[in-house]
Amino acid sequence: MTSTTAPRPKPRERVLDAAARLFIREGVHAVGVDRLAQEAQVSKRSIYQHFESKDAIVADMLTEYGPRVVAGYFRPEDDDRTPRERVLHVYDALHRAAEAGDYFGCPFVNVATELRDREHPAAQVAQHFKGELTAYFERQAAAAGAASPHVLAVQLTLLFDGASASAALCGGTPLAARLAAETLWDAAVSAAR
Amino acid sequence: MTSTTAPRPKPRERVLDAAARLFIREGVHAVGVDRLAQEAQVSKRSIYQHFESKDAIVADMLTEYGPRVVAGYFRPEDDDRTPRERVLHVYDALHRAAEAGDYFGCPFVNVATELRDREHPAAQVAQHFKGELTAYFERQAAAAGAASPHVLAVQLTLLFDGASASAALCGGTPLAARLAAETLWDAAVSAAR
């Protein structure tokens, strides 16, 4: 007989899954290693066999979890969308995430903010993924012939970060951010014409 | 002989000062009441005579500290600046704060984000002060005859929050935010003409 259930994830994976659930929802400082061990059903000793420190768990969690977050916002860049549609899709996806409830803000910004240390390994991972968002925006802006693709991309990233913070803090849905993105985009693209 | 030194602040005041220093710099969860007591040179017992709980300290700290933060960004509304200049001054002040180093991001956003609870008394205080920024922007937008003063004000607030997070996380100075604010402002004000 073949078992129809998936094999149980290995301890390291279980710890990272538990870390993603707890750190994203409650914050890094609010969750201790004991709680993580309990949630992952792994002994504390086993945790320290797989990870050097709690700091390393935070960094590895963001590294593993990051691509899934990013995938929710990016569109394949070879489909038939226009660059403008790809950019606005990011804000639409944020709007949907915020509407769905249980939205805690951008996990990269939240973790890095809480750590208050730009050199922390997890803060470096967070900066990497924020950089990916800016690079995605910049590719779209360059494809559309925007006047200064990098400046526009940074502005769109700031807007995204402000909107995700506001969605988490006040429960506001970020429609105003989408409108602002349209205004910034159209000003930069028409200025280039 | 008259003493030239100011009288020592009372315990409640000392606790709130210590809370502002530590919570803003290190975060709410990273600082326990023991540490607060030590920093304020107040006994733990005395802390609990003045405050119901750590949550109450966080809320009272933001309530006391908030107006000082806000004062750094707002300009008297009866001087000879134009509404546009008043709005851009906010971003210039943020730029200066970020350049000065030791900038940890918007304390209201940071505290509320870390608490992950919109109903927490401190989160409510944070929302109040963010609302004051939006209201300030909205008064300027209305005075300039912007098309939708409230929408523009919300957009400018999102931009401010994104820029302050970015300044804290990456050390970037928020000049791109100022440029974006100009674009959004000019689009909204010229649309109304």
Side-chain angles (χ1 to χ4, degrees):
Chain A
M1 243 174 81
T2 322
S3 166
T4 52
T5 52
R8 195 178 187 215
K10 296 200 167 129
R12 185 173 185 279
E13 219 175 300
R14 294 213 301 278
V15 172
L16 291 177
D17 280 351
R21 278 197 300 280
L22 296 177
F23 289 154
I24 302 294
R25 179 176 292 263
E26 300 179 27
V28 168
H29 289 309
V31 177
V33 173
D34 283 315
R35 177 106 186 279
L36 214 49
Q38 193 181 19
E39 174 88 4
Q41 296 187 281
V42 166
S43 72
K44 233 174 128 171
R45 195 172 157 229
S46 170
I47 286 192
Y48 285 116
Q49 276 166 351
H50 287 91
F51 303 93
E52 211 174 86
S53 60
K54 185 182 164 188
D55 287 337
I57 302 176
V58 184
D60 289 1
M61 178 279 286
L62 273 194
T63 303
E64 297 261 326
Y65 185 72
R68 272 182 280 166
V69 176
V70 164
Y73 292 101
F74 291 4
R75 280 285 162 190
E77 291 176 70
D78 57 357
D79 68 7
D80 57 3
R81 281 186 174 74
T82 64
R84 187 178 190 273
E85 284 167 345
R86 279 194 201 105
V87 165
L88 295 179
H89 170 80
V90 174
Y91 298 91
D92 289 337
L94 177 61
H95 182 61
R96 275 195 302 275
E99 287 252 291
D102 249 23
Y103 179 72
F104 302 97
C106 171
F108 308 122
V109 172
N110 287 0
V111 167
T113 301
E114 206 187 333
L115 294 170
R116 302 275 204 286
D117 172 9
R118 285 176 209 153
E119 308 304 320
H120 189 290
Q124 303 267 325
V125 178
Q127 285 171 32
H128 164 79
F129 283 109
K130 293 276 42 151
E132 291 220 333
L133 180 61
T134 305
Y136 178 83
F137 283 145
E138 187 167 345
R139 285 195 299 277
Q140 311 315 317
S148 305
H150 184 68
V151 172
L152 177 58
V154 169
Q155 293 175 333
L156 292 169
T157 306
L158 298 180
L159 206 53
F160 178 88
D161 287 344
S164 61
S166 165
L169 264 51
C170 316
T173 51
L175 272 183
R178 189 198 204 272
L179 286 172
E182 288 179 38
T183 303
L184 292 174
W185 177 273
D186 293 342
V189 170
S190 76
R193 281 200 186 116
Chain B
M1 242 174 82
T2 321
S3 167
T4 52
T5 52
R8 194 177 188 216
K10 296 202 168 126
R12 185 174 184 279
E13 220 175 300
R14 294 213 301 277
V15 172
L16 291 177
D17 280 351
R21 277 195 302 279
L22 296 177
F23 290 153
I24 301 293
R25 178 175 294 261
E26 301 180 28
V28 169
H29 290 310
V31 177
V33 173
D34 282 314
R35 176 109 186 278
L36 214 50
Q38 194 182 18
E39 174 87 7
Q41 297 188 281
V42 165
S43 72
K44 233 172 125 171
R45 190 169 163 234
S46 169
I47 286 192
Y48 286 116
Q49 278 167 350
H50 288 91
F51 302 93
E52 211 173 85
S53 61
K54 186 181 163 188
D55 287 338
I57 301 175
V58 185
D60 288 2
M61 178 280 286
L62 273 194
T63 304
E64 297 262 325
Y65 185 72
R68 272 181 281 165
V69 176
V70 164
Y73 291 101
F74 291 5
R75 280 284 161 190
E77 290 176 71
D78 57 358
D79 67 10
D80 57 4
R81 282 187 173 74
T82 65
R84 188 178 189 273
E85 285 167 344
R86 276 191 204 108
V87 165
L88 295 179
H89 170 79
V90 174
Y91 298 90
D92 289 337
L94 177 61
H95 181 63
R96 275 195 300 275
E99 288 252 289
D102 249 25
Y103 179 72
F104 302 98
C106 170
F108 307 122
V109 171
N110 287 358
V111 166
T113 301
E114 206 187 333
L115 293 170
R116 301 276 206 285
D117 172 8
R118 286 177 209 152
E119 307 306 320
H120 189 290
Q124 304 266 326
V125 178
Q127 285 169 33
H128 165 78
F129 283 109
K130 292 273 48 150
E132 291 220 332
L133 179 61
T134 305
Y136 178 83
F137 283 146
E138 187 168 345
R139 286 194 299 277
Q140 311 314 317
S148 306
H150 184 67
V151 172
L152 176 58
V154 170
Q155 294 175 334
L156 292 169
T157 306
L158 297 180
L159 206 53
F160 178 89
D161 287 343
S164 61
S166 167
L169 264 50
C170 316
T173 50
L175 272 181
R178 189 196 204 271
L179 286 172
E182 289 179 37
T183 303
L184 292 173
W185 177 273
D186 294 341
V189 170
S190 76
R193 275 191 194 127

